[in-house]
Amino acid sequence: MTRLLYFVIAVVLAAVAQRWLSQGVSSPRDSVLLFLVAGALFAAHGMAPAAWPQLPPRRKWPYLGLALAAAGILLAAIAFVGRFWSEVYHGWGLWLWLIAIPLYLAGTWLDLPSPDADAEAQADTAWIERLPDRRQVLVGLALILVLATAVRFYALDTYPNGCQSDECNNGLDALKWLSGAPYTPYAETNEGQATLFTYIIALYIKLFGQSVATMRMVSATVGVLTVLAFYFLAREIYGERIGLLTAALVAADRWHITFSRIVYELILMPLVLSLQVLFLLKALKTGRRRWWALSGMMLALGMNTYTAYRVVPFFFAVYFLYWLLTHRQRIRRDFEGMLVFAGGAAVAVAPLAAYTIRNWNVFISRINHISVFRDVEAVGSYAPLWSNLRKTLFMFNWQGDMAALNNLPGAPLLHAAIGVVFVLGLIWALRWIWRELPFLYLLWFGAVASVAVLSVAHEAPTARRPIGLIPVIYLLVAGVFHQFWQAWVRTWGQHRRRPMAVLLSAVVLLVAAGNVNTYFRVQAVDPAVWAAYSPNESAVGKYLATVPPEERIFMTPQYTHHSAVKFIGGPHDITPLNLAQHIPLRQDPGADVQFILEPVDERLVPLLQQLYPGGEYQVHRDRYGRTLFLSYRIPRQAYDAARGLQ
């Protein structure tokens, strides 16, 4: 009972600190001090992490499995040296590589039965709680996935409005792949990015047609899969009940919903990182080579997603070193597993590795461009770095990303209740930093957060680059839930668990409802957010999609080369507007004519009406009454009537 009381006091103090931050009741320093007091109280009375399960007896690696794995490495090496190194990523080299991946995985999957299968099964399940009623678990998980699907797929063509240039650039790359361009693992689009995401977009366009909504379906699908992957990760650590509760929180997390509804490759990072850590934990618990291989392949997959994933190899290298130093009694088994991990990563990353080595300057150009050390050099001090650190630490609970593209401008990235629990979980992890899971959480948090801290100062705080923090934040939340659950059971017994289950479920429902309401009724319709996704150019593209392709289009240069106009509008005969040549028209267009102008070009409309009085003038506005663009359509008959002598 005493532990529960201290937990409640800690939550109350943290909630007061959160209120001070949110409402500006006191200075941020006072709020931080109160948070530290609350966290210290929680950590001091919290239970230690569960003891790590004993490693079961080693399974022998049969000669067939070893041969298959070696064959996979050999085929990948042949493809790397024979084709990829010459920057030829198609043909027989690509096929060899695609065969090498399942071959290596099949080799690691084959092993002989364990001498003590019962001990292995016990090690695999002893440290997590299983609910007796499997139907409850399946129904709960199904409801969570329905929620995740609904909030990510609902009105994808409306919220957010428009299609920002980077989004439509991804769409144009996908169209290029569909048109037959040879495979490449990396493209210079959007200042450089891996192409995996755009190939998935190409698949969706092939299946569902070319549209912005189709592209966003890719992100929405990845978002739903992330919720499912996170459930399995949280269940692996804390059991099914806590896994379901925190998966529901991720399903309705506003930060994750935002990027699940726009076309950025960064949405892949939480999914792949969750799977990579899940497979690693299974490998460290069971010693099975299959999990080591899968975790390594997830690392390679992650390197083909978002630029920020490049910190993950360093994160894992440090964790492996920590593990070997703190678990010396099993060092031979774990070192073998790490070699299998490295083999899986090497096989799966072969094309991207070849590109990276051959085009190193291109590969790191984006990192150099957004580095905070450019600001440090400009001002001659480390002030921008410390400012970034402060802003990054405060963005979860107080002042979030100001860019309307990424967030409700200035709003904290986490719901207030989640912010409170997250801080308590973070301080608890610091209390037990030398233990396996807390060290993993803190290393994960520090590595991914460093990407935001080391980015250019004018973008801080940013919601984009540290998106890989979402799973670990909710694992820390799951840890706090687990502490409350265990304290309750120890106080009241196994048969009186329902009040705590109801309380935690109520918290989850209230937070989920608040997040969904904030996204759809506040963020998505906010004028700044509405204007962030290239609404003018997107509206031009939508209008062009209704224009017959035979019409001649004279368009202001501001719109001509924008990716949203090209992707949404489709193929048209578009000529950049030149006032000296095109008003009035010097040559017979041979078809109906459209002039598409910016709002600032409204001064040209009276002249067009004077020259072509039979034309049709239209002002295109958004839902807030702001002018998006102007169109002046001149039918062929109106042009002929106004032409005069030749």
Side-chain angles (χ1 to χ4, degrees):
M1 187 66 181
T2 303
R3 177 179 280 122
L4 268 177
L5 180 61
Y6 279 118
F7 283 179
V8 171
I9 294 172
V11 169
V12 171
L13 291 177
V16 172
Q18 180 64 46
R19 182 176 180 274
W20 287 359
L21 270 181
S22 302
Q23 300 185 6
V25 175
S26 184
S27 69
R29 180 176 297 177
D30 293 338
S31 300
V32 170
L33 289 175
L34 190 56
F35 264 128
L36 291 175
V37 171
L41 187 64
F42 181 85
H45 294 87
M47 289 163 279
W52 198 263
Q54 293 294 319
L55 197 63
R58 182 178 184 273
R59 286 173 173 253
K60 292 184 178 180
W61 200 349
Y63 291 123
L64 176 59
L66 187 60
L68 289 175
I73 293 175
L74 179 61
L75 291 182
I78 293 172
F80 182 91
V81 175
R83 300 290 284 180
F84 300 158
W85 188 253
S86 303
E87 298 190 68
V88 179
Y89 303 104
H90 57 277
W92 62 265
L94 178 62
W95 286 108
L96 276 186
W97 174 65
L98 291 175
I99 294 170
I101 294 175
L103 203 60
Y104 183 84
L105 189 57
T108 60
W109 208 268
L110 290 176
D111 48 26
L112 296 176
S114 171
D116 192 348
D118 292 338
E120 181 172 337
Q122 184 179 2
D124 190 40
T125 60
W127 72 335
I128 59 176
E129 178 188 11
R130 300 290 187 187
L131 293 178
D133 191 339
R134 307 304 300 168
R135 289 176 298 179
Q136 289 183 357
V137 175
L138 293 176
V139 169
L141 183 58
L143 291 175
I144 290 168
L145 294 178
V146 167
L147 169 65
T149 302
V151 298
R152 285 163 177 78
F153 279 86
Y154 170 71
L156 274 175
D157 57 344
T158 305
Y159 306 115
N161 174 61
C163 183
Q164 196 264 347
S165 58
D166 288 353
E167 293 184 279
C168 283
N169 281 336
N170 287 331
L172 293 177
D173 271 3
L175 295 179
K176 184 165 61 176
W177 312 142
L178 289 173
S179 68
Y183 169 72
T184 178
Y186 201 81
E188 296 185 33
T189 308
N190 298 331
E191 298 186 80
Q193 63 185 35
T195 58
L196 172 65
F197 187 63
T198 52
Y199 276 100
I200 301 174
I201 293 173
L203 174 62
Y204 269 60
I205 290 176
K206 183 74 172 178
L207 295 174
F208 305 110
Q210 179 181 335
S211 70
V212 174
T214 296
M215 292 198 297
R216 289 180 173 161
M217 285 169 60
V218 176
S219 298
T221 303
V222 172
V224 174
L225 292 176
T226 302
V227 174
L228 182 61
F230 178 84
Y231 161 72
F232 286 113
L233 175 59
R235 186 189 74 166
E236 188 70 25
I237 301 172
Y238 296 111
E240 289 166 337
R241 181 179 286 105
I242 302 300
L244 288 171
L245 289 170
T246 47
L249 290 173
V250 176
D253 179 74
R254 184 177 58 85
W255 183 9
H256 194 254
I257 291 172
T258 297
F259 289 103
S260 296
R261 298 178 62 90
I262 55 181
V263 194
Y264 291 150
E265 72 279 6
L266 58 84
I267 192 59
L268 289 165
M269 187 170 180
L271 170 62
V272 179
L273 192 48
S274 295
L275 291 173
Q276 186 178 346
V277 173
L278 170 63
F279 296 145
L280 174 67
L281 293 179
K282 284 183 169 292
L284 293 174
K285 281 177 21 182
T286 67
R288 301 290 291 273
R289 299 176 189 88
R290 63 183 64 174
W291 302 123
W292 284 110
L294 281 170
S295 187
M297 288 185 175
M298 286 300 106
L299 176 64
L301 182 65
M303 295 297 289
N304 281 275
T305 60
Y306 185 42
T307 305
Y309 212 95
R310 297 176 192 176
V311 302
V312 176
F314 300 100
F315 152 36
F316 266 63
V318 173
Y319 193 73
F320 285 169
L321 179 61
Y322 153 83
W323 189 270
L324 293 175
L325 291 175
T326 55
H327 296 76
R328 297 182 182 179
Q329 72 281 6
R330 44 184 280 179
I331 191 169
R332 292 182 63 183
R333 289 279 302 278
D334 291 332
F335 188 71
E336 177 198 295
M338 292 172 191
L339 291 178
V340 174
F341 173 97
V347 168
V349 83
L352 183 63
Y355 182 94
T356 301
I357 297 170
R358 299 283 290 176
N359 301 274
W360 181 250
N361 290 334
V362 175
F363 191 71
I364 65 169
S365 62
R366 175 64 175 164
I367 297 176
N368 292 334
H369 179 69
I370 63 172
S371 172
V372 69
F373 292 105
R374 296 166 64 96
D375 299 306
V376 169
E377 184 179 352
V379 302
S381 76
Y382 286 98
L385 182 64
W386 304 127
S387 175
N388 277 9
L389 177 61
R390 178 180 180 275
K391 290 177 180 178
T392 299
L393 292 176
F394 274 120
M395 72 181 181
F396 307 105
N397 299 68
W398 184 28
Q399 295 176 339
D401 197 328
M402 291 299 299
L405 197 67
N406 307 327
N407 187 34
L408 176 63
L413 298 185
L414 300 177
H415 187 282
I418 297 302
V420 166
V421 179
F422 158 63
V423 172
L424 296 180
L426 190 63
I427 296 176
W428 173 85
L430 286 168
R431 162 74 174 80
W432 298 97
I433 187 172
W434 62 88
R435 300 292 288 269
E436 296 90 349
L437 286 174
F439 188 82
L440 176 69
Y441 294 162
L442 293 171
L443 186 60
W444 183 345
F445 185 85
V448 178
S450 70
V451 180
V453 176
L454 298 176
S455 297
V456 285
H458 71 271
E459 293 186 3
T462 174
R464 286 196 197 188
R465 298 186 184 105
I467 194 172
L469 292 176
I470 291 176
V472 72
I473 285 173
Y474 282 98
L475 285 177
L476 290 167
V477 170
V480 175
F481 282 7
H482 181 71
Q483 291 279 333
F484 268 93
W485 184 264
Q486 292 299 317
W488 180 273
V489 169
R490 293 186 182 189
T491 302
W492 302 106
Q494 289 285 349
H495 300 293
R496 302 181 65 181
R497 297 174 296 177
R498 180 166 294 182
M500 179 54 67
V502 171
L503 176 61
L504 292 179
S505 299
V507 170
V508 169
L509 289 174
L510 289 173
V511 170
N515 270 330
V516 173
N517 178 73
T518 301
Y519 179 81
F520 286 103
R521 302 188 65 179
V522 182
Q523 178 177 333
V525 297
D526 184 270
V529 175
W530 200 264
Y533 291 86
S534 304
N536 300 57
E537 294 83 358
S538 300
V540 170
K542 290 179 181 178
Y543 179 71
L544 281 179
T546 67
V547 173
E550 63 272 10
E551 288 195 11
R552 290 290 306 279
I553 309 294
F554 294 91
M555 184 183 295
T556 179
Q558 178 71 17
Y559 297 150
T560 304
H561 301 294
H562 196 280
S563 58
V565 175
K566 295 179 180 179
F567 181 82
I568 302 173
H572 281 86
D573 183 8
I574 299 177
T575 303
L577 179 63
N578 184 316
L579 298 181
Q581 296 179 3
H582 303 140
I583 301 181
L585 292 166
R586 300 294 193 268
Q587 297 179 350
D588 187 344
D592 296 345
V593 174
Q594 291 262 10
F595 284 90
I596 296 180
L597 311 171
E598 296 179 74
V600 296
D601 292 329
E602 190 175 9
R603 67 190 186 280
L604 298 176
V605 175
L607 178 59
L608 288 170
Q609 290 174 327
Q610 181 181 358
L611 291 169
Y612 308 106
E616 303 164 2
Y617 174 52
Q618 186 175 358
V619 179
H620 302 261
R621 305 181 187 276
D622 66 9
R623 63 185 294 171
Y624 302 102
R626 295 179 297 197
T627 301
L628 295 170
F629 70 98
L630 313 171
S631 64
Y632 196 83
R633 182 175 182 275
I634 306 171
R636 173 71 191 188
Q637 298 84 348
Y639 171 81
D640 290 339
R643 182 166 57 175
L645 295 174
Q646 294 298 300

